[in-house]
Amino acid sequence: SWRRGHVAESLCVLSLRLRGYRVVARRFAGGRGTGAGEVDIVARRGRVLAFVEVKARPDATTAIEAVGPRQQARIRRGAESFLKRHPDLLDCLIRFDVMAVAPWRWPLHLTDAWR
């Protein structure tokens, strides 16, 4: 549900902040209907800019498996669109992460989930 996703996302933001990330954007959409894609969380730590997909599922494995090639492409398009609007971040090291949220568990952060 939308609410569960929102709670999962907020938990991930908290988890990232506790580990020294600065959240640059949440629910970034490159433009509805443009095919530009969207990204749940954009977070930065040092020179690393992470585009994070949040998945809430009954368990972490199912959550990670839920990010297939089509979603990866959507997130990549979202990242490209985000960087066009924020050229000052182009010198960052770009990374795609997945954060899996399962009930009663702290989010599992899979860094560099795909290239």
Side-chain angles (χ1 to χ4, degrees):
S1 77
W2 176 84
R3 192 175 162 278
R4 187 177 63 205
H6 197 75
V7 168
E9 197 176 285
S10 296
L11 199 57
C12 290
V13 164
L14 175 63
S15 170
L16 287 165
R17 284 189 177 139
L18 288 172
R19 282 180 294 134
Y21 287 87
R22 187 166 55 82
V23 174
V24 182
R26 282 178 76 167
R27 283 186 297 287
F28 173 82
R32 295 252 179 260
T34 62
E38 52 189 280
V39 182
D40 292 333
I41 301 170
V42 183
R44 182 176 183 177
R45 185 168 73 181
R47 285 196 57 228
V48 174
L49 188 66
F51 291 90
V52 185
E53 177 69 5
V54 175
K55 282 292 170 202
R57 293 290 186 275
D59 62 88
T61 308
T62 318
I64 291 165
E65 288 169 352
V67 186
R70 281 182 59 208
Q71 274 198 308
Q72 290 175 12
R74 169 182 58 80
I75 297 158
R76 186 173 288 111
R77 286 192 309 271
E80 286 165 3
S81 160
F82 180 85
L83 289 167
K84 276 190 190 120
R85 293 188 204 176
H86 300 87
D88 53 309
L89 297 174
L90 281 170
D91 59 339
C92 288
L93 301 168
I94 305 304
R95 197 176 74 194
F96 295 98
D97 296 359
V98 175
M99 288 188 83
V101 183
W104 312 112
R105 296 261 184 273
W106 195 241
L108 176 70
H109 187 181
L110 189 68
T111 58
D112 216 5
W114 75 87
R115 293 202 168 264

